[in-house]
Amino acid sequence: MSQTKRVAIIGSGNWGSAIAKIVGANTAKFPHFENEVRMYVYEEMVDGKKLSEIINTEHENVKYLPGHRLPENIVAEPDLLNAARDADILIFVLPHAFVSRICKPLKDVIKPGTIGISLIKGFGELPNGGIELISDVIRHSLGIEMSVLMGANLANEVAEEQFCETTIGSKCHQSGTILKTLFQTDNFRVTVVPDVYTVEICGALKNIVACAAGFADGLGLGDNTKAALIRIGLKEMIRFCQTFFADGLQLTTFFESCGVADLITTCYGGRNRRVSEAFVKTGKSIEVLEQEMLNGQKLQGYQTCDEVVKMLNVNGHTDRFPLFVAVDMIYKGQIPPSGIIERIRLEPNDN
């Protein structure tokens, strides 16, 4: 990589814009980085103006992060290839369903030695019913080294500069060090661990547990029941990693921000919890609730749950993951939301 590193952000939604505040401030602050940061923006019209032009003139993502000023060195770029061209560090922060589509054209502009980091919470789906980690999807598509960043990081609170922690999973010590410099601030504390798979899987699976927590809230089941769902969900997250991604797994990773902290935060304040509560109370479909509550963004939890349960079915493990299976069945209308309690009574005794 070059002596000063050019950073590009692929994605500009709520979380992408929040992280752009941090990245823009740090690239301006530290000599390790070039000042300008290009941020790929999927172009759309807002009040008759192009979103990219609004960001570049008003320095605010008025659609996905209104009320928060972005650093002036964040440059919105609606052309994907121009955004990524000459970048030494690529930050991927977009819905997981779009990753493969985004990566295909990027192959032509990736520099040798470029590194990437995924902030994406979800899985890629394989034709045989298995799942592929998003970092692996990007790694295999672009041939670059990949790290991941996951944590108890609700985007609006990060943008408001409230104190929080996050976890970077990186197998390369040098990359982990430079990425920590890129992201860490006084109010955004970064811990780097080598257990990349566990960091990433926690970021995806906690959304399924948050759906269960939202069902409990919608049913008015109270804090004791919600706590039980969170505990059982955490055990299923650990069991999933031990079953399918045990290589390099460290149980201590579950006690980092990417693990139990992110799980708690999402089960009390995240979009998956909110929409799942509304799903119970209103009876509306997920598609309608996404339009009404998420301002064009997608709900990760039910998509991830569908992918995970397909994998469990293929491998004959559904009986070991009653909470994951129950969430999937509820969203598909196979059991009522109240049926989740009967399902979790089937919790296995093994870990």
Side-chain angles (χ1 to χ4, degrees):
M1 287 190 287
S2 59
Q3 190 172 7
T4 58
K5 296 168 178 57
R6 174 175 284 277
V7 179
I9 302 172
I10 308 301
S12 58
N14 184 235
W15 183 213
S17 297
I19 211 67
K21 284 192 65 176
I22 290 174
V23 169
N26 279 352
T27 55
K29 177 180 179 182
F30 294 110
H32 312 71
F33 308 106
E34 292 189 21
N35 181 62
E36 182 186 81
V37 177
R38 296 178 195 146
M39 179 174 71
Y40 168 63
V41 174
Y42 178 78
E43 193 70 279
E44 45 191 318
M45 302 300 290
V46 179
D47 295 329
K49 298 180 181 178
K50 293 180 178 179
L51 181 57
S52 63
E53 292 179 358
I54 295 172
I55 293 172
N56 287 335
T57 56
E58 300 179 19
H59 306 291
E60 179 184 350
N61 188 334
V62 294
K63 180 166 185 179
Y64 295 114
L65 195 69
H68 293 279
R69 184 173 177 82
L70 299 176
E72 293 189 11
N73 61 331
I74 298 292
V75 177
E77 174 54 74
D79 185 300
L80 173 65
L81 300 188
N82 284 341
R85 199 181 309 276
D86 299 323
D88 299 292
I89 300 173
L90 290 170
I91 301 168
F92 293 88
V93 53
L94 66 159
H96 76 283
F98 300 151
V99 170
S100 295
R101 189 187 318 166
I102 286 288
C103 283
K104 287 181 182 178
L106 283 180
K107 294 179 183 179
D108 296 331
V109 298
I110 297 298
K111 292 168 53 176
T114 296
I115 65 172
I117 183 166
S118 171
L119 281 63
I120 302 167
K121 297 180 177 180
F123 296 125
E125 188 174 359
L126 296 173
N128 64 0
I131 62 170
E132 187 175 18
L133 301 186
I134 294 299
S135 64
D136 282 342
V137 173
I138 300 171
R139 181 185 297 111
H140 296 154
S141 298
L142 302 181
I144 63 175
E145 174 196 321
M146 285 295 299
S147 300
V148 297
L149 183 151
M150 305 284 161
N153 308 140
L154 296 179
N156 287 342
E157 294 184 12
V158 172
E160 291 165 3
E161 300 182 24
Q162 297 183 31
F163 178 81
C164 66
E165 299 176 310
T166 200
T167 311
I168 289 178
S170 179
K171 294 181 179 179
C172 174
H173 177 75
Q174 181 180 2
S175 296
T177 299
I178 195 67
L179 290 171
K180 182 173 182 175
T181 303
L182 179 61
F183 288 102
Q184 181 157 274
T185 71
D186 290 343
N187 292 314
F188 194 69
R189 187 165 67 186
V190 176
T191 299
V192 182
V193 300
D195 187 5
V196 178
Y197 282 166
T198 302
V199 173
E200 184 167 3
I201 293 166
C202 282
L205 295 184
K206 57 94 182 182
N207 285 326
I208 303 177
V209 186
C211 292
F215 295 152
D217 289 340
L219 293 164
L221 296 179
D223 288 336
N224 290 342
T225 303
K226 188 169 178 178
L229 291 169
I230 293 172
R231 181 195 70 82
I232 292 168
L234 177 60
K235 288 186 71 175
E236 292 195 12
M237 289 167 60
I238 295 171
R239 188 178 295 130
F240 187 89
C241 290
Q242 291 174 328
T243 302
F244 298 109
F245 295 92
D247 185 28
L249 183 148
Q250 298 175 0
L251 285 175
T252 54
T253 304
F254 292 95
F255 297 96
E256 298 292 348
S257 182
C258 63
V260 65
D262 195 10
L263 178 62
I264 293 169
T265 296
T266 307
C267 286
Y268 280 89
R271 72 179 73 162
N272 290 278
R273 187 215 66 78
R274 289 189 293 110
V275 174
S276 297
E277 179 182 16
F279 179 82
V280 175
K281 288 182 173 180
T282 68
K284 296 179 180 178
S285 70
I286 287 298
E287 291 74 19
V288 169
L289 292 171
E290 284 177 333
Q291 293 175 1
E292 292 181 353
M293 301 177 66
L294 300 183
N295 195 27
Q297 299 185 89
K298 294 296 182 181
L299 191 72
Q300 309 102 319
Y302 84 100
Q303 295 174 333
T304 299
C305 192
D306 177 69
E307 294 159 356
V308 166
V309 171
K310 284 179 182 176
M311 183 173 182
L312 296 177
N313 275 312
V314 167
N315 291 277
H317 288 296
T318 53
D319 59 329
R320 300 179 60 219
F321 297 87
L323 186 142
F324 290 174
V325 173
V327 171
D328 187 60
M329 294 176 74
I330 291 167
Y331 273 130
K332 292 177 178 175
Q334 296 170 353
I335 62 173
S338 58
I340 195 167
I341 302 304
E342 192 61 37
R343 298 290 304 186
I344 63 172
R345 289 195 177 105
L346 304 174
E347 182 199 6
N349 292 323
D350 70 301
N351 289 321

